[in-house]
Amino acid sequence: MNLRILKKLSKRAAPLLPLIGDKREQFRAEHHNTGNNFIGGTLIMARKHWERGRSVHDECISQCEIKRPAPKGKGWLWMAPPDHPRKGTVMVGAMSGYYEPEWDEECAWSALENLVRCHFTDWNPSHQDTPKVLRRLDTPSEVFGAAREMVAELSA
């Protein structure tokens, strides 16, 4: 998945979220240079969209990044998956916490995928290994089909 596809999936997922019961605020992401919006748990694997940089310190580069020595031995070149969505990506967010509430946000696609996966999982504690998934949810079309089923089930 790349950032462009994430934006399109989020746009399709946004109208389904309130119908399923997600009452969080929906808004559009700002430009990534502002640093205000974050993708959430979505990992962007297309390296074309990864952030790149240079550092003289090896220890400040995190483990999720790819690093290699810079030419002529002057520091390190690094690449990391993006943390920020494209401008205009539909996001959902709300305040969470009790004593020190914080703003929690994710893209609409991640929110829909999480709700659908939780709904179609058998959380019975008698299962010894892991919770049992009741339906295939490997592709976006399968997730959207399951979400439409959830909407029909809730409206009936």
Side-chain angles (χ1 to χ4, degrees):
M1 178 182 305
N2 61 37
L3 292 173
R4 188 175 136 265
I5 292 172
L6 179 65
K7 181 176 178 178
K8 289 181 177 188
L9 289 174
S10 293
K11 184 176 180 181
R12 284 180 58 195
L16 293 172
L17 287 172
L19 300 175
I20 291 175
D22 191 342
K23 303 297 183 201
R24 294 181 287 178
E25 176 186 348
Q26 290 189 9
F27 58 95
R28 302 266 179 187
E30 299 172 4
H31 194 270
H32 72 277
N33 288 342
T34 61
N36 290 338
N37 302 118
F38 293 95
I39 291 176
T42 307
L43 180 62
I44 304 299
M45 295 302 293
R47 290 191 182 175
K48 171 184 174 183
H49 299 280
W50 283 25
E51 298 169 0
R52 292 165 170 74
R54 181 183 211 120
S55 177
V56 264
H57 305 289
D58 178 31
E59 59 273 356
C60 68
I61 300 173
S62 71
Q63 292 185 13
C64 68
E65 298 169 344
I66 297 173
K67 64 179 179 179
R68 64 182 174 89
K72 299 180 185 174
K74 303 205 183 219
W76 297 88
L77 299 175
W78 59 268
M79 291 174 47
D83 295 329
H84 307 288
R86 285 179 74 136
K87 178 182 175 186
T89 302
V90 180
M91 307 285 289
V92 292
M95 296 298 284
S96 64
Y98 184 67
Y99 287 112
E100 296 180 14
E102 294 181 358
W103 179 255
D104 185 31
E105 68 184 14
E106 61 183 337
C107 59
W109 165 248
S110 295
L112 180 72
E113 188 178 26
N114 290 337
L115 285 170
V116 169
R117 284 191 189 281
C118 287
H119 182 77
F120 288 101
T121 301
D122 182 14
W123 299 97
N124 190 349
S126 66
H127 296 263
Q128 294 178 359
D129 295 337
T130 58
K132 182 181 176 186
V133 179
L134 303 173
R135 181 182 176 142
R136 275 187 55 148
L137 298 169
D138 297 334
T139 64
S141 61
E142 292 171 347
V143 172
F144 282 115
R148 284 189 288 276
E149 258 184 46
M150 287 173 62
V151 169
E153 182 181 303
L154 290 170
S155 65

